[in-house]
């Protein structure tokens, strides 16, 4: 067996049965084009680019990589710079940031992975994929939200079947059951049971409380991307402004269960300072519709009920509420409770709270949003396609 065919068979075995047929369809020229263990993932889209992330199966040895891209399948452009004067590289995962692209434009790309062999480098290319950059000036916005999938890959598969293409897919936390090994991370973020989550649209992500648990939680940032290199950020797509916040743990930092490994309280305070500034940016301040994404709800149906965990993040709300009211936030979209809820605005809390379901097939939901100049509709739909909740918003400006 020659080296090229050995690589193809080895990588297919690593991917699992759900991924094999797709990789085999994309393999060309005896294995010169192959998708490795994790699909190339398009994450953290912006109006001028995104980040491409892919796992590498290199036996623990560093390899280097780059992106070939263009507005057609002929590609023609390359991105090889990691920003530090080096080629992007890694022994488990490679990330490449694309910049200088046009807003609202469809691009084609493929990943290229090269060994460090100076005499005859081994080159592996993925199949060609596409993504579309964001466009703050667009007249419409369409997106979907998944939450609390917790590695229930049967649920993920059904969610993917129900989710139609849009401007982005938002993963609203708790994609895992704590990070007990580093291998858990690419398996969950980049492969996800053989489901190519960014095939239809690029991904955004905020962490849930389980996503910051486990001995390997600190490695997660190597396998995902955030638009502003922080686990909180803001962006505009068409008429909708989105602010994405990290609610952290559902217990205080000094709780014995957390073993002194988290520092969520200073993180929430830093976000509060950032939030007070970001709501003054013109693209945020003048948006017709305004949404906050965060994993743990800021409001819950029964806030006096005694639990061993927080049903809502009062610690976050106490710090962020005034800025959200000043910004005229219309709705907070969350997960965490594994059951749905829609809480109407009140005088004290002038923003609605929409909460998605849980990881099991009978409780999971997909939240969809569609906005134009006249109306913004949010729907929370169960896997049997029944409607759990619907919220209609009118433009603020």
């Amino acid at each position: 067996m020659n080296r090229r065919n050995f690589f193809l068979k080895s990588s297919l075995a690593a991917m699992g049965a759900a991924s094999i047929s797709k990789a085999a369809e994309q393999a060309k020229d005896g294995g010169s084009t192959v998708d490795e263990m994790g699909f190339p993932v398009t994450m953290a889209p912006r109006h001028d680019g995104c980040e491409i992330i892919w796992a590498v199966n290199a036996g623990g040895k560093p390899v280097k990589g780059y992106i070939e891209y263009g507005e057609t399948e002929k590609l023609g452009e390359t991105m090889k710079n990691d920003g530090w004067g080096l080629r992007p590289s890694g022994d488990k995962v490679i990330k490449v940031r694309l910049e200088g692209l046009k807003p609202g434009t469809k691009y084609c790309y493929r990943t290229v992975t090269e060994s460090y062999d100076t005499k005859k480098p081994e080159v592996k290319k993925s199949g060609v994929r596409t993504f579309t950059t964001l466009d703050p000036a667009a007249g419409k916005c369409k997106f979907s939200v998944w939450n609390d999938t917790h590695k229930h890959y049967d649920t993920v598969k059904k969610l993917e079947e129900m989710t139609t293409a849009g401007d982005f897919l938002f993963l609203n936390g708790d994609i895992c059951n704590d990070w007990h090994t580093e291998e858990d991370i690419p398996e969950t973020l980049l492969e996800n049971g053989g489901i190519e989550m960014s095939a239809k649209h690029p991904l955004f992500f905020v962490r849930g409380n389980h996503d910051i648990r486990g001995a390997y939680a600190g490695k997660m940032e190597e396998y995902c991307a955030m638009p502003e290199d922080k686990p909180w950020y803001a962006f505009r797509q068409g008429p909708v402004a989105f602010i994405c916040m990290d609610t952290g743990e559902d217990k205080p930092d000094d709780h014995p269960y957390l073993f002194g490994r988290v520092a969520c309280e200073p993180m929430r305070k830093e976000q509060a300072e950032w939030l007070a500034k970001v709501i003054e940016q013109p693209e945020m301040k003048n948006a017709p519709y305004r949404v906050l994404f965060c994993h743990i709800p800021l409001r819950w149906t029964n806030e006096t009920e005694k639990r061993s965990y927080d049903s809502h993040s009062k610690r976050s709300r106490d710090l962020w509420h005034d800025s959200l009211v000043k910004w005229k936030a219309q709705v907070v979209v969350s997960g965490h409770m594994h059951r749905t809820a829609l809480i109407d605005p009140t005088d004290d809390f002038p923003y609605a709270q929409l909460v998605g379901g849980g990881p099991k097939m009978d409780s999971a939901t997909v939240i969809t949003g569609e906005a134009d100049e006249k109306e913004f509709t949010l729907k929370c739909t169960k896997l049997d396609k029944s409607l759990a909740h619907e919220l209609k918003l009118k433009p603020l400006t």
Side-chain angles (χ1 to χ4, degrees):
M1 184 183 299
N2 64 39
R3 188 180 184 189
R4 175 178 287 179
N5 288 335
F6 175 79
F7 169 79
L8 176 61
K9 291 187 177 183
S10 298
S11 59
L12 289 178
M15 291 193 308
S19 306
I20 288 175
S21 60
K22 191 171 188 70
E25 289 173 2
Q26 293 170 333
K28 300 176 182 178
D29 301 327
S32 61
T33 301
V34 62
D35 292 331
E36 299 186 42
M37 174 181 157
F39 301 113
V41 173
T42 310
M43 192 174 286
R46 309 179 310 280
H47 71 279
D48 64 348
C50 65
E51 291 204 35
I52 309 297
I53 309 171
W54 69 102
V56 293
N57 184 14
K61 296 181 179 180
V63 293
K64 55 186 183 291
Y66 62 93
I67 298 295
E68 297 178 335
Y69 70 99
E71 293 184 42
T72 72
E73 290 190 4
K74 294 182 180 179
L75 306 178
E77 302 288 337
T78 61
M79 180 62 71
K80 297 183 176 182
N81 177 22
D82 73 350
W84 287 65
L86 294 169
R87 294 275 297 280
S89 64
D91 61 353
K92 296 182 178 68
V93 67
I94 294 177
K95 292 197 290 187
V96 176
R97 183 179 177 91
L98 294 179
E99 298 180 301
L101 307 186
K102 296 186 291 188
T105 302
K106 182 178 179 180
Y107 286 89
C108 301
Y109 80 91
R110 68 183 173 195
T111 66
V112 182
T113 309
E114 296 179 342
S115 69
Y116 273 100
D117 188 333
T118 57
K119 295 181 179 179
K120 191 178 180 180
E122 189 174 11
V123 180
K124 313 170 195 68
K125 297 184 179 184
S126 74
V128 174
R129 284 153 167 85
T130 64
F131 68 90
T132 300
T133 50
L134 299 183
D135 184 2
K140 297 180 180 181
C141 176
K142 180 181 178 181
F143 62 90
S144 299
V145 184
W146 302 353
N147 61 274
D148 295 277
T149 49
H150 285 286
K151 297 186 73 172
H152 280 60
Y153 295 138
D154 55 343
T155 299
V156 172
K157 182 178 180 180
K158 186 63 176 178
L159 286 169
E160 196 276 337
E161 292 173 358
M162 291 182 60
T163 302
T164 58
D167 298 316
F168 61 87
L169 170 62
F170 195 89
L171 305 180
N172 206 359
D174 276 10
I175 64 172
C176 76
N177 300 310
D178 307 353
W179 303 116
H180 298 297
T181 69
E182 186 172 353
E183 289 71 24
D184 286 340
I185 305 174
E187 176 193 330
T188 306
L189 262 175
L190 305 182
E191 184 183 2
N192 222 330
I195 300 299
E196 190 171 359
M197 294 185 295
S198 67
K200 299 176 183 176
H201 29 218
L203 303 181
F204 282 110
F205 173 64
V206 296
R207 298 181 302 179
N209 49 297
H210 282 275
D211 301 318
I212 59 175
R213 291 180 184 173
Y216 289 85
K219 300 287 290 183
M220 187 181 181
E221 62 189 271
E222 298 178 21
Y223 294 87
C224 67
M226 305 290 183
E228 301 172 20
D229 291 327
K230 290 274 192 179
W232 59 88
Y233 50 91
F235 66 95
R236 174 82 176 262
Q237 174 62 14
V240 189
F242 299 91
I243 293 179
C244 312
M245 308 284 280
D246 192 324
T247 45
E249 265 291 357
D250 62 6
K251 300 171 180 62
D253 284 0
D254 60 359
H255 193 284
Y257 178 79
L258 302 178
F259 306 106
R261 59 175 177 72
V262 301
C264 294
E265 291 169 14
M267 179 184 71
R268 294 188 193 100
K269 292 178 182 178
E270 184 178 352
Q271 288 179 84
E273 296 171 1
W274 170 87
L275 180 62
K277 296 175 182 177
V278 79
I279 62 172
E280 299 298 335
Q281 295 178 359
E283 66 271 21
M284 297 288 112
K285 192 174 184 179
N286 300 325
Y289 308 105
R290 300 166 200 185
V291 178
L292 174 71
F293 285 131
C294 61
H295 176 69
I296 303 177
L298 299 190
R299 304 171 61 199
W300 188 239
T301 54
N302 185 350
E303 297 192 1
T304 61
E305 185 178 7
K306 297 296 183 182
R307 296 177 179 272
S308 60
Y309 61 91
D310 293 339
S311 61
H312 65 290
S313 186
K314 188 175 185 300
R315 297 177 188 84
S316 301
R317 188 176 74 193
D318 288 347
L319 290 166
W320 306 344
H321 175 76
D322 289 347
S323 289
L324 293 176
V325 173
K326 182 179 180 181
W327 185 48
K328 299 181 181 178
Q330 292 169 291
V331 60
V332 178
V333 179
S334 304
H336 183 60
M337 292 302 289
H338 294 191
R339 54 192 173 101
T340 68
L342 176 58
I343 307 171
D344 293 330
T346 66
D347 290 341
D348 291 334
F349 302 105
Y351 42 85
Q353 174 73 68
L354 179 60
V355 183
K360 297 182 179 180
M361 295 283 281
D362 60 354
S363 61
T365 59
V366 57
I367 295 173
T368 57
E370 293 192 51
D372 58 24
E373 62 181 8
K374 295 181 180 180
E375 191 172 64
F376 180 17
T377 301
L378 285 154
K379 295 181 179 180
C380 181
T381 306
K382 298 180 180 179
L383 297 192
D384 63 4
K385 299 187 179 180
S386 62
L387 185 64
H389 303 289
E390 183 176 40
L391 176 65
K392 293 182 179 292
L393 301 171
K394 294 299 181 182
L396 294 172
T397 56

